[in-house]
Coordinates of all heavy atoms in Angstrom, one line a residue:
M199 N 17.5 -13.6 2.8 CA 17.0 -12.2 2.4 C 16.4 -12.4 1.0 O 16.9 -13.1 0.2 CB 18.2 -11.3 2.4 CG 17.9 -9.9 2.0 SD 19.3 -8.8 2.2 CE 18.9 -7.6 1.0
S200 N 15.3 -11.6 0.9 CA 14.6 -11.6 -0.4 C 15.3 -10.7 -1.4 O 16.0 -9.8 -1.0 CB 13.2 -11.1 -0.2 OG 12.5 -11.9 0.7
A201 N 15.0 -11.0 -2.7 CA 15.6 -10.2 -3.7 C 15.0 -8.8 -3.7 O 13.8 -8.6 -3.5 CB 15.4 -10.8 -5.1
L202 N 15.9 -7.8 -4.0 CA 15.3 -6.4 -4.1 C 14.8 -6.2 -5.5 O 15.4 -6.6 -6.5 CB 16.5 -5.4 -3.9 CG 16.8 -5.1 -2.4 CD1 18.0 -4.1 -2.4 CD2 15.6 -4.6 -1.6
V203 N 13.6 -5.6 -5.5 CA 12.9 -5.3 -6.8 C 12.5 -3.9 -6.8 O 12.5 -3.2 -5.7 CB 11.7 -6.2 -7.0 CG1 12.1 -7.7 -7.1 CG2 10.6 -6.0 -5.9
T204 N 12.1 -3.4 -7.9 CA 11.6 -2.0 -8.0 C 10.1 -2.0 -8.3 O 9.7 -2.7 -9.2 CB 12.4 -1.2 -9.1 OG1 13.8 -1.2 -8.8 CG2 11.9 0.2 -9.1
I205 N 9.4 -1.2 -7.5 CA 7.9 -1.0 -7.8 C 7.7 0.5 -8.1 O 8.5 1.3 -7.8 CB 7.0 -1.5 -6.7 CG1 7.2 -0.6 -5.5 CG2 7.4 -2.9 -6.3 CD1 6.1 -0.8 -4.4
D206 N 6.6 0.8 -8.7 CA 6.1 2.2 -8.9 C 5.1 2.5 -7.8 O 4.1 1.9 -7.7 CB 5.5 2.3 -10.3 CG 5.1 3.7 -10.6 OD1 4.3 4.3 -9.9 OD2 5.6 4.3 -11.6
L207 N 5.5 3.5 -7.0 CA 4.6 3.9 -5.9 C 4.2 5.4 -6.2 O 5.0 6.3 -6.1 CB 5.3 3.8 -4.6 CG 4.6 4.4 -3.4 CD1 3.2 3.8 -3.2 CD2 5.4 4.1 -2.1
D208 N 3.0 5.6 -6.6 CA 2.5 6.9 -6.9 C 3.4 7.7 -7.8 O 3.7 8.9 -7.6 CB 2.3 7.7 -5.6 CG 1.1 7.2 -4.8 OD1 0.2 6.6 -5.4 OD2 1.1 7.5 -3.6
G209 N 4.0 7.0 -8.8 CA 4.8 7.6 -9.8 C 6.2 7.7 -9.6 O 7.0 8.2 -10.4
R210 N 6.7 7.1 -8.4 CA 8.1 7.1 -8.2 C 8.6 5.7 -8.0 O 7.9 4.9 -7.5 CB 8.5 8.0 -7.0 CG 8.0 7.6 -5.7 CD 8.3 8.6 -4.6 NE 7.6 8.2 -3.3 CZ 8.2 7.6 -2.3 NH1 9.5 7.3 -2.4 NH2 7.5 7.3 -1.3
A211 N 9.9 5.5 -8.4 CA 10.5 4.2 -8.2 C 10.9 3.9 -6.8 O 11.6 4.8 -6.2 CB 11.6 4.0 -9.2
V212 N 10.5 2.8 -6.2 CA 10.9 2.5 -4.9 C 11.4 1.1 -4.8 O 10.8 0.1 -5.4 CB 9.6 2.6 -3.9 CG1 10.0 2.1 -2.5 CG2 9.1 4.0 -3.9
E213 N 12.5 0.9 -4.2 CA 13.1 -0.5 -4.0 C 12.5 -1.2 -2.8 O 12.2 -0.5 -1.8 CB 14.6 -0.4 -3.8 CG 15.4 -0.3 -5.1 CD 16.8 -0.7 -4.9 OE1 17.3 -0.6 -3.8 OE2 17.5 -1.0 -5.9
A214 N 12.2 -2.5 -3.0 CA 11.6 -3.2 -1.9 C 12.0 -4.7 -2.0 O 12.4 -5.1 -3.1 CB 10.1 -3.1 -2.0
E215 N 11.8 -5.4 -0.9 CA 12.0 -6.9 -1.0 C 10.9 -7.6 -1.5 O 9.7 -7.5 -1.0 CB 12.4 -7.4 0.4 CG 13.7 -6.9 0.9 CD 14.1 -7.5 2.3 OE1 14.1 -8.7 2.4 OE2 14.3 -6.7 3.2
A216 N 11.1 -8.4 -2.6 CA 10.0 -9.2 -3.2 C 9.5 -10.2 -2.1 O 10.2 -10.8 -1.3 CB 10.6 -10.0 -4.4
G217 N 8.1 -10.3 -2.2 CA 7.5 -11.3 -1.3 C 7.1 -10.7 0.1 O 6.2 -11.3 0.8
R218 N 7.6 -9.6 0.5 CA 7.2 -8.9 1.7 C 5.9 -8.3 1.5 O 5.5 -7.9 0.4 CB 8.3 -7.9 2.1 CG 9.6 -8.4 2.3 CD 9.8 -9.0 3.7 NE 11.2 -9.4 3.9 CZ 11.6 -9.9 5.0 NH1 10.8 -10.1 6.0 NH2 12.9 -10.2 5.1
P219 N 5.1 -8.1 2.6 CA 3.8 -7.4 2.5 C 3.9 -6.0 2.0 O 4.7 -5.2 2.5 CB 3.3 -7.5 3.9 CG 4.1 -8.5 4.6 CD 5.4 -8.5 4.0
L220 N 3.1 -5.7 1.0 CA 3.1 -4.3 0.5 C 2.7 -3.3 1.5 O 3.3 -2.2 1.6 CB 2.1 -4.3 -0.7 CG 1.8 -2.9 -1.3 CD1 3.1 -2.3 -1.9 CD2 0.7 -3.0 -2.4
G221 N 1.9 -3.7 2.4 CA 1.4 -2.8 3.5 C 2.6 -2.3 4.3 O 2.6 -1.1 4.7
A222 N 3.5 -3.1 4.6 CA 4.7 -2.7 5.5 C 5.5 -1.7 4.8 O 6.0 -0.7 5.4 CB 5.5 -3.9 5.8
L223 N 5.7 -1.9 3.5 CA 6.4 -0.9 2.7 C 5.7 0.5 2.6 O 6.3 1.5 2.8 CB 6.7 -1.4 1.3 CG 7.3 -0.4 0.3 CD1 8.8 -0.2 0.6 CD2 7.1 -0.8 -1.1
L224 N 4.4 0.4 2.4 CA 3.6 1.7 2.4 C 3.6 2.4 3.7 O 3.7 3.6 3.8 CB 2.2 1.4 1.9 CG 2.1 0.8 0.5 CD1 0.6 0.5 0.2 CD2 2.7 1.6 -0.5
H225 N 3.6 1.6 4.8 CA 3.6 2.2 6.1 C 4.9 3.0 6.3 O 4.9 4.1 6.8 CB 3.5 1.1 7.2 CG 3.4 1.6 8.5 ND1 2.2 2.1 9.1 CD2 4.3 1.7 9.5 CE1 2.4 2.5 10.3 NE2 3.7 2.3 10.6
R226 N 6.0 2.4 5.8 CA 7.3 3.0 6.0 C 7.4 4.3 5.0 O 7.9 5.3 5.4 CB 8.4 2.0 5.6 CG 9.8 2.6 5.8 CD 10.9 1.7 5.2 NE 10.9 1.8 3.8 CZ 11.4 0.8 3.0 NH1 11.9 -0.2 3.5 NH2 11.4 1.0 1.7
E227 N 7.0 4.1 3.8 CA 7.2 5.2 2.8 C 6.3 6.3 2.9 O 6.6 7.5 2.5 CB 7.1 4.6 1.4 CG 8.2 3.6 1.0 CD 9.5 4.3 0.8 OE1 9.5 5.4 0.2 OE2 10.5 3.7 1.1
L228 N 5.1 6.1 3.5 CA 4.1 7.2 3.5 C 3.7 7.6 4.9 O 2.6 8.2 5.1 CB 2.8 6.7 2.7 CG 3.1 6.2 1.3 CD1 1.8 5.6 0.7 CD2 3.6 7.3 0.4
N229 N 4.5 7.4 5.8 CA 4.3 7.8 7.2 C 2.9 7.3 7.7 O 2.2 8.1 8.4 CB 4.4 9.3 7.3 CG 5.8 9.8 7.1 OD1 6.8 9.1 7.5 ND2 5.9 10.9 6.4
A230 N 2.6 6.1 7.4 CA 1.4 5.4 7.9 C 0.1 5.8 7.3 O -0.9 5.1 7.4 CB 1.3 5.5 9.4
V231 N 0.0 6.9 6.6 CA -1.3 7.3 6.0 C -1.4 6.8 4.5 O -0.6 7.2 3.7 CB -1.5 8.8 6.0 CG1 -2.8 9.3 5.4 CG2 -1.4 9.3 7.5
L232 N -2.4 6.0 4.3 CA -2.5 5.4 2.9 C -3.6 6.1 2.2 O -3.6 6.1 0.9 CB -2.8 3.9 3.0 CG -1.8 3.0 3.7 CD1 -2.1 1.6 3.6 CD2 -0.4 3.3 3.1
R233 N -4.6 6.6 2.9 CA -5.8 7.3 2.2 C -6.5 8.1 3.3 O -6.2 8.0 4.5 CB -6.7 6.2 1.6 CG -7.4 5.3 2.6 CD -8.2 4.2 1.9 NE -8.8 3.3 2.9 CZ -10.0 3.5 3.4 NH1 -10.7 4.6 3.1 NH2 -10.4 2.7 4.3
H234 N -7.5 8.8 2.8 CA -8.4 9.6 3.7 C -9.9 9.2 3.4 O -10.2 8.9 2.2 CB -8.2 11.1 3.5 CG -6.9 11.5 3.9 ND1 -5.8 11.5 3.1 CD2 -6.5 12.1 5.1 CE1 -4.7 11.9 3.8 NE2 -5.1 12.3 5.0
T235 N -10.7 9.2 4.4 CA -12.1 8.7 4.2 C -12.8 9.8 3.4 O -12.5 11.0 3.4 CB -12.8 8.6 5.5 OG1 -12.8 9.8 6.3 CG2 -12.1 7.5 6.4
A236 N -13.8 9.3 2.6 CA -14.6 10.2 1.8 C -15.5 11.1 2.6 O -15.8 12.3 2.3 CB -15.5 9.4 0.8
K237 N -16.0 10.6 3.7 CA -17.0 11.3 4.5 C -16.4 12.5 5.2 O -16.9 13.6 5.1 CB -17.6 10.4 5.6 CG -18.6 11.0 6.4 CD -19.2 10.0 7.4 CE -20.3 10.7 8.3 NZ -20.8 9.8 9.3
D238 N -15.3 12.4 6.0 CA -14.7 13.5 6.7 C -13.2 13.7 6.5 O -12.6 14.5 7.2 CB -15.1 13.4 8.2 CG -14.6 12.1 8.8 OD1 -13.8 11.4 8.1 OD2 -14.9 11.8 10.0
G239 N -12.6 13.0 5.6 CA -11.2 13.2 5.3 C -10.3 12.6 6.4 O -9.1 13.0 6.4
A240 N -10.8 11.7 7.3 CA -9.9 11.2 8.3 C -8.8 10.3 7.7 O -9.1 9.5 6.8 CB -10.8 10.4 9.3
P241 N -7.6 10.4 8.2 CA -6.5 9.6 7.7 C -6.7 8.1 8.1 O -7.2 7.8 9.2 CB -5.3 10.2 8.4 CG -5.8 10.8 9.6 CD -7.2 11.3 9.3
R242 N -6.4 7.2 7.2 CA -6.5 5.8 7.4 C -5.2 5.2 7.0 O -4.5 5.6 6.1 CB -7.7 5.2 6.6 CG -9.0 5.8 6.8 CD -9.4 5.9 8.2 NE -9.7 4.7 8.8 CZ -10.2 4.5 10.0 NH1 -10.3 5.5 10.8 NH2 -10.4 3.3 10.5
G243 N -4.8 4.0 7.6 CA -3.6 3.3 7.3 C -3.8 1.9 7.7 O -4.9 1.4 8.0
L244 N -2.7 1.2 7.9 CA -2.8 -0.2 8.4 C -3.3 -0.2 9.8 O -2.9 0.5 10.6 CB -1.4 -0.8 8.4 CG -1.0 -1.4 7.0 CD1 0.1 -0.5 6.4 CD2 -0.6 -2.8 7.1
F245 N -4.3 -1.0 10.0 CA -4.9 -1.1 11.3 C -4.7 -2.6 11.8 O -4.0 -2.8 12.8 CB -6.4 -0.7 11.3 CG -7.0 -0.8 12.7 CD1 -6.6 0.1 13.7 CD2 -8.0 -1.7 12.9 CE1 -7.2 0.0 14.9 CE2 -8.6 -1.8 14.2 CZ -8.2 -1.0 15.2
C246 N -5.4 -3.5 11.1 CA -5.3 -4.9 11.6 C -4.1 -5.6 11.1 O -3.5 -6.5 11.8 CB -6.6 -5.7 11.2 SG -6.7 -6.1 9.5
G247 N -3.6 -5.3 9.9 CA -2.5 -5.9 9.3 C -2.7 -7.3 8.9 O -1.7 -8.0 8.6
M248 N -3.9 -7.8 8.8 CA -4.2 -9.2 8.5 C -5.4 -9.4 7.6 O -6.0 -10.5 7.5 CB -4.3 -10.0 9.7 CG -5.4 -9.6 10.7 SD -5.3 -10.7 12.1 CE -6.9 -10.3 12.8
G249 N -5.8 -8.3 6.9 CA -6.8 -8.5 5.9 C -8.3 -8.4 6.4 O -9.2 -8.8 5.6
V250 N -8.5 -7.9 7.6 CA -9.8 -7.9 8.1 C -10.5 -6.5 8.0 O -11.7 -6.4 7.7 CB -9.8 -8.3 9.6 CG1 -11.2 -8.2 10.2 CG2 -9.3 -9.8 9.7
C251 N -9.8 -5.4 8.3 CA -10.4 -4.1 8.5 C -10.6 -3.3 7.2 O -11.4 -2.4 7.1 CB -9.6 -3.2 9.4 SG -8.0 -2.6 8.8
F252 N -9.9 -3.6 6.2 CA -10.0 -2.9 4.9 C -9.6 -1.4 5.0 O -10.0 -0.6 4.2 CB -11.4 -3.1 4.2 CG -11.7 -4.4 3.7 CD1 -11.9 -5.5 4.6 CD2 -11.7 -4.7 2.4 CE1 -12.1 -6.8 4.1 CE2 -11.9 -6.0 1.9 CZ -12.2 -7.0 2.7
D253 N -8.8 -1.1 5.9 CA -8.3 0.3 6.0 C -7.1 0.6 5.1 O -6.6 1.7 5.0 CB -7.9 0.6 7.5 CG -9.1 1.1 8.2 OD1 -10.2 1.3 7.6 OD2 -9.0 1.3 9.5
C254 N -6.5 -0.5 4.5 CA -5.3 -0.3 3.8 C -5.5 -0.4 2.3 O -4.6 -0.8 1.6 CB -4.3 -1.4 4.2 SG -4.9 -3.1 3.9
L255 N -6.7 -0.1 1.8 CA -7.0 -0.2 0.4 C -6.2 0.7 -0.5 O -6.0 1.9 -0.2 CB -8.5 0.0 0.1 CG -9.4 -0.9 0.8 CD1 -10.9 -0.6 0.5 CD2 -9.1 -2.4 0.5
V256 N -5.6 0.1 -1.6 CA -4.9 0.9 -2.6 C -5.2 0.3 -4.0 O -6.0 -0.7 -4.1 CB -3.3 0.8 -2.4 CG1 -2.9 1.5 -1.1 CG2 -2.9 -0.7 -2.4
R257 N -4.8 1.0 -5.0 CA -4.9 0.5 -6.4 C -3.6 -0.2 -6.8 O -2.6 0.5 -6.7 CB -5.3 1.6 -7.3 CG -5.6 1.2 -8.7 CD -5.9 2.4 -9.6 NE -7.0 3.2 -9.1 CZ -7.0 4.5 -8.9 NH1 -5.9 5.2 -9.2 NH2 -8.0 5.2 -8.4
V258 N -3.7 -1.4 -7.3 CA -2.5 -2.1 -7.8 C -2.7 -2.5 -9.2 O -3.7 -3.2 -9.5 CB -2.2 -3.4 -6.9 CG1 -1.0 -4.1 -7.5 CG2 -1.9 -2.9 -5.5
D259 N -1.8 -2.0 -10.1 CA -1.9 -2.3 -11.5 C -3.3 -2.1 -12.1 O -3.8 -2.8 -12.9 CB -1.5 -3.8 -11.8 CG 0.0 -4.1 -11.4 OD1 0.8 -3.1 -11.5 OD2 0.3 -5.2 -11.1
G260 N -3.9 -1.0 -11.6 CA -5.2 -0.5 -12.1 C -6.4 -1.2 -11.4 O -7.5 -0.8 -11.6
R261 N -6.1 -2.1 -10.5 CA -7.2 -2.8 -9.8 C -7.5 -2.1 -8.5 O -6.6 -1.9 -7.6 CB -6.8 -4.3 -9.6 CG -8.0 -5.1 -9.2 CD -7.7 -6.6 -9.2 NE -8.0 -7.1 -7.9 CZ -7.2 -7.8 -7.1 NH1 -6.0 -8.1 -7.4 NH2 -7.7 -8.3 -5.9
E262 N -8.8 -1.7 -8.3 CA -9.2 -0.9 -7.1 C -9.3 -1.9 -5.9 O -9.6 -3.1 -6.1 CB -10.5 -0.2 -7.4 CG -10.5 0.7 -8.5 CD -9.9 2.1 -8.1 OE1 -9.6 2.3 -6.9 OE2 -9.7 2.9 -9.0
G263 N -9.3 -1.3 -4.7 CA -9.6 -2.0 -3.5 C -8.8 -3.2 -3.1 O -9.2 -4.2 -2.5
V264 N -7.5 -3.1 -3.4 CA -6.5 -4.1 -3.0 C -6.0 -3.9 -1.6 O -5.6 -2.8 -1.2 CB -5.3 -4.2 -4.0 CG1 -4.3 -5.2 -3.6 CG2 -5.8 -4.5 -5.4
R265 N -6.1 -4.9 -0.7 CA -5.6 -4.8 0.6 C -4.1 -4.9 0.7 O -3.6 -6.0 0.4 CB -6.3 -5.8 1.5 CG -7.8 -5.6 1.7 CD -8.4 -6.8 2.4 NE -8.4 -7.9 1.5 CZ -8.7 -9.1 1.8 NH1 -9.1 -9.4 3.0 NH2 -8.7 -10.1 0.9
A266 N -3.5 -3.8 1.0 CA -2.0 -3.8 0.9 C -1.4 -4.7 1.9 O -0.3 -5.3 1.7 CB -1.5 -2.4 1.2
C267 N -2.0 -5.0 3.0 CA -1.4 -5.8 4.1 C -1.3 -7.2 3.7 O -0.5 -7.9 4.3 CB -2.2 -5.6 5.4 SG -3.8 -6.3 5.4
V268 N -2.1 -7.7 2.8 CA -2.0 -9.1 2.4 C -1.6 -9.3 1.0 O -1.8 -10.4 0.4 CB -3.4 -9.8 2.7 CG1 -3.7 -9.9 4.2 CG2 -4.5 -9.1 1.9
T269 N -1.0 -8.3 0.4 CA -0.5 -8.3 -1.0 C 1.0 -8.4 -1.0 O 1.7 -7.5 -0.5 CB -1.0 -7.1 -1.7 OG1 -2.4 -7.1 -1.7 CG2 -0.5 -7.1 -3.2
P270 N 1.6 -9.5 -1.5 CA 3.1 -9.5 -1.6 C 3.6 -8.6 -2.6 O 3.0 -8.4 -3.7 CB 3.3 -11.0 -1.9 CG 2.1 -11.5 -2.4 CD 0.9 -10.7 -2.0
I271 N 4.8 -8.1 -2.3 CA 5.5 -7.2 -3.3 C 6.1 -8.1 -4.4 O 6.6 -9.1 -4.1 CB 6.6 -6.4 -2.6 CG1 6.0 -5.5 -1.6 CG2 7.6 -5.8 -3.5 CD1 7.0 -4.9 -0.6
R272 N 5.9 -7.6 -5.6 CA 6.5 -8.3 -6.8 C 7.1 -7.2 -7.7 O 6.6 -6.0 -7.7 CB 5.5 -9.2 -7.5 CG 4.4 -8.5 -8.0 CD 3.4 -9.4 -8.7 NE 2.1 -8.8 -8.9 CZ 1.9 -7.7 -9.7 NH1 2.9 -7.2 -10.3 NH2 0.7 -7.2 -9.8
A273 N 8.1 -7.6 -8.5 CA 8.8 -6.7 -9.4 C 7.8 -6.0 -10.3 O 6.9 -6.7 -10.9 CB 9.8 -7.4 -10.1
G274 N 7.9 -4.7 -10.5 CA 7.2 -4.0 -11.5 C 5.8 -3.6 -11.1 O 5.1 -3.0 -12.0
M275 N 5.3 -4.0 -10.0 CA 3.9 -3.6 -9.6 C 3.8 -2.1 -9.6 O 4.7 -1.4 -9.2 CB 3.5 -4.4 -8.4 CG 4.1 -3.9 -7.1 SD 3.8 -5.0 -5.7 CE 2.1 -5.3 -5.7
R276 N 2.6 -1.7 -10.0 CA 2.3 -0.2 -9.9 C 1.2 0.0 -8.9 O 0.1 -0.5 -9.0 CB 1.8 0.2 -11.3 CG 1.6 1.7 -11.4 CD 1.3 2.1 -12.9 NE 0.4 1.2 -13.6 CZ -1.0 1.3 -13.6 NH1 -1.5 2.4 -13.0 NH2 -1.7 0.5 -14.2
V277 N 1.6 0.8 -7.8 CA 0.8 1.0 -6.7 C 0.4 2.5 -6.6 O 1.2 3.4 -6.7 CB 1.5 0.6 -5.4 CG1 0.6 0.8 -4.2 CG2 2.0 -0.8 -5.4
E278 N -0.9 2.7 -6.5 CA -1.5 4.0 -6.4 C -2.3 4.2 -5.1 O -3.1 3.4 -4.8 CB -2.3 4.4 -7.6 CG -1.6 4.3 -8.9 CD -2.6 4.4 -10.0 OE1 -3.0 5.5 -10.4 OE2 -2.9 3.3 -10.6
T279 N -2.0 5.2 -4.3 CA -2.7 5.5 -3.1 C -3.7 6.6 -3.4 O -3.6 7.3 -4.4 CB -1.8 5.9 -1.9 OG1 -1.2 7.1 -2.3 CG2 -0.8 4.8 -1.6
V280 N -4.7 6.8 -2.5 CA -5.6 7.9 -2.7 C -5.5 8.8 -1.4 O -6.2 8.7 -0.5 CB -7.1 7.4 -2.8 CG1 -8.0 8.5 -3.1 CG2 -7.2 6.3 -3.8
R281 N -4.4 9.6 -1.4 CA -4.0 10.3 -0.2 C -4.5 11.7 -0.1 O -4.4 12.4 0.8 CB -2.5 10.3 -0.1 CG -1.9 8.9 -0.1 CD -0.4 8.9 0.1 NE -0.1 9.2 1.5 CZ 0.9 10.0 1.8 NH1 1.7 10.5 1.0 NH2 1.1 10.2 3.1
S282 N -5.2 12.2 -1.2 CA -5.6 13.6 -1.1 C -6.9 13.8 -0.4 O -7.6 12.9 -0.1 CB -5.7 14.2 -2.6 OG -6.7 13.4 -3.3
Ligands
FES333 S1 -4.7 -3.4 7.5 FE1 -6.6 -4.3 7.9 S2 -7.2 -5.2 6.0 FE2 -5.2 -4.4 5.7

């Protein structure tokens, strides 16, 4: 079992296992919706789960366009979604 760490997810503290894919945690915490498209507001979330579709983009520690599905969880990371 991996060590439990705390990350900041949209301003709230969330416990997660270090080294696990960030996308899996976001899927669980946000009911699968990570963002909405700019064109028509369609909900998007994990689709391929392996870094190909780019539907899981989030901001991590201020860096835009991070694919959550291929990003390992680490202590103290700050994750921001664009869900509005
Ligand atoms: S879910 Fe497809 S790139 Fe992350």
Side-chain angles (χ1 to χ4, degrees):
M199 184 171 150
S200 303
L202 279 181
V203 297
T204 302
I205 71 167
D206 182 299
L207 174 56
D208 289 336
R210 68 186 171 97
V212 174
E213 278 198 339
E215 289 185 55
R218 300 279 185 177
L220 175 61
L223 173 73
L224 298 181
H225 186 79
R226 182 190 78 198
E227 291 290 323
L228 304 175
N229 294 323
V231 178
L232 302 185
R233 64 185 179 89
H234 292 84
T235 60
K237 183 177 178 184
D238 58 6
R242 309 303 292 181
L244 278 107
F245 181 67
C246 72
M248 59 184 194
V250 175
C251 73
F252 287 73
D253 274 352
C254 64
L255 299 181
V256 293
R257 184 182 302 130
V258 176
D259 296 332
R261 196 170 127 233
E262 301 280 351
V264 175
R265 290 170 294 169
C267 68
V268 293
T269 301
I271 293 169
R272 59 178 166 65
M275 68 193 312
R276 185 170 44 89
V277 180
E278 299 168 82
T279 62
V280 187
R281 304 183 73 216
S282 57

